[in-house]
Amino acid sequence: MIGRLDKILSAAGLGTRKEVKRLIRSGRIKTGTVICRSPEQKFDTSGTEIFLDSAKIDIKDFTYIMLNKPGGVISATRDKTKSTVLDLMPEKYKGLFPVGRLDIDTQGLLILTDDGILTHRLTAPGKNVEKIYYLELENPWEKDYGTKIEEGLLLSDGYKCLPGRAWPENPEPDCNKGFIAISEGKFHQVKKMFFTLGNYVTFLKRVQIGNVKLDETLSPGEFRHLTDAEVESLKKSSGLLLPCTK
Ligand code: URA
């Protein structure tokens, strides 16, 4: 990989561009035996070893894909009987894994990557990265859904949901479509939440993770690479922190 030092370090999982710039300027990064304080300096990583304090950094160019998951495939890398999201991908992407899970019938934004640190940061409980879903319901949206979801629903299995946000697609009284934003991902969570409210989710599609929106030009089953700005934004919203060796 040839590129700016801050980009190389950010791609290696050390943090956002802003975080790694700070790290570089603080004098903790060495290229070979020389401290480099210039984030914009370019390097060819095939010929240069880079160190954080005295620890060699494993330079890896991670892959980040945005897939518009169709219904009917599972969010796993392999399965004995069912098709998985990786079955939709060309051979060179078979080593990626999905960040979190969507139910087999849920569609929409799924990120595939080989960056284990970011995956952990986005999926670990308590990370509070907000995910937004578009949903359709069997019965009309009730006025009090938003308030009840903001207060934190108590599911029938005794689980108390973290406060979320929810709003109908339009103000018409027969509207049965809307959006929900939640920062956790328990099994069947959105479906269970609306079941608790006395309704039933008939269609569910994830449209946003953090600030990254599903690219609506992607048809179900299509994918594209995340832009640098989207990767950066995911790292920021997941609170990716720098490893501290001091
Ligand atoms: N909530 C659900 O019920 N299903 C999903 O796939 C994602 C969130």
Side-chain angles (χ1 to χ4, degrees):
M1 179 183 191
I2 301 173
R4 290 168 55 120
L5 184 57
D6 56 352
K7 197 166 175 199
I8 292 169
L9 296 183
S10 184
L14 258 75
T16 64
R17 290 281 277 278
K18 196 168 163 194
E19 286 168 334
V20 298
K21 274 183 185 152
R22 210 178 303 135
L23 191 68
I24 295 165
R25 293 197 178 110
S26 74
R28 290 176 64 193
I29 299 294
K30 273 191 198 142
T31 53
T33 54
V34 181
I35 291 177
C36 180
R37 293 180 191 265
S38 157
E40 57 283 347
Q41 194 163 330
K42 288 198 172 148
F43 291 94
D44 178 353
T45 54
S46 61
T48 320
E49 288 187 328
I50 305 182
F51 300 86
L52 167 61
D53 302 326
S54 53
K56 188 170 165 222
I57 297 165
D58 188 13
I59 301 296
K60 192 166 182 309
D61 211 359
F62 292 115
T63 302
Y64 304 92
I65 298 281
M66 165 189 295
L67 169 71
N68 185 357
K69 178 191 172 298
V73 294
I74 60 169
S75 310
T77 50
R78 70 173 77 95
D79 192 79
K80 285 203 184 98
T81 54
K82 297 192 177 70
S83 295
T84 74
V85 286
L86 283 192
D87 293 328
L88 303 169
M89 303 299 292
E91 200 51 42
K92 66 175 176 176
Y93 298 120
K94 299 287 186 197
L96 303 184
F97 41 85
V99 178
R101 282 171 188 268
L102 291 176
D103 296 337
I104 187 163
D105 56 341
T106 302
Q107 302 191 13
L109 178 56
L110 188 68
I111 289 163
L112 303 175
T113 185
D114 47 3
D115 180 346
I117 298 177
L118 182 65
T119 302
H120 177 72
R121 299 281 175 179
L122 286 170
T123 53
K127 288 296 163 195
N128 294 338
V129 179
E130 191 178 70
K131 288 128 194 147
I132 304 184
Y133 296 84
Y134 163 79
L135 55 102
E136 295 177 8
L137 297 169
E138 190 170 72
N139 298 306
W141 189 279
E142 303 270 342
K143 279 203 185 69
D144 60 358
Y145 285 177
T147 321
K148 286 184 169 163
I149 287 171
E150 261 172 44
E151 284 165 358
L153 286 177
L154 183 62
L155 301 181
S156 55
D157 58 10
Y159 179 73
K160 175 94 162 101
C161 298
L162 291 176
R165 299 182 293 124
W167 60 99
E169 188 185 54
N170 64 61
E172 301 303 321
D174 62 348
C175 174
N176 68 337
K177 298 174 182 145
F179 295 87
I180 182 167
I182 53 172
S183 345
E184 50 184 350
K186 302 273 178 255
F187 186 56
H188 293 333
Q189 181 151 354
V190 174
K191 291 173 186 163
K192 284 181 182 167
M193 288 170 82
F194 281 89
F195 190 71
T196 300
L197 292 167
N199 212 324
Y200 186 75
V201 174
T202 55
F203 178 81
L204 189 59
K205 178 176 171 182
R206 185 156 63 194
V207 293
Q208 193 167 330
I209 301 175
N211 288 320
V212 175
K213 292 189 166 77
L214 175 66
D215 182 339
E216 292 289 350
T217 66
L218 297 173
S219 300
E222 289 186 342
F223 68 91
R224 69 158 169 80
H225 285 262
L226 290 184
T227 63
D228 287 351
E230 286 168 339
V231 174
E232 186 79 1
S233 152
L234 282 180
K235 286 182 178 174
K236 266 187 206 145
S237 54
S238 68
L240 195 66
L241 297 171
L242 293 166
C244 184
T245 55
K246 281 191 170 164

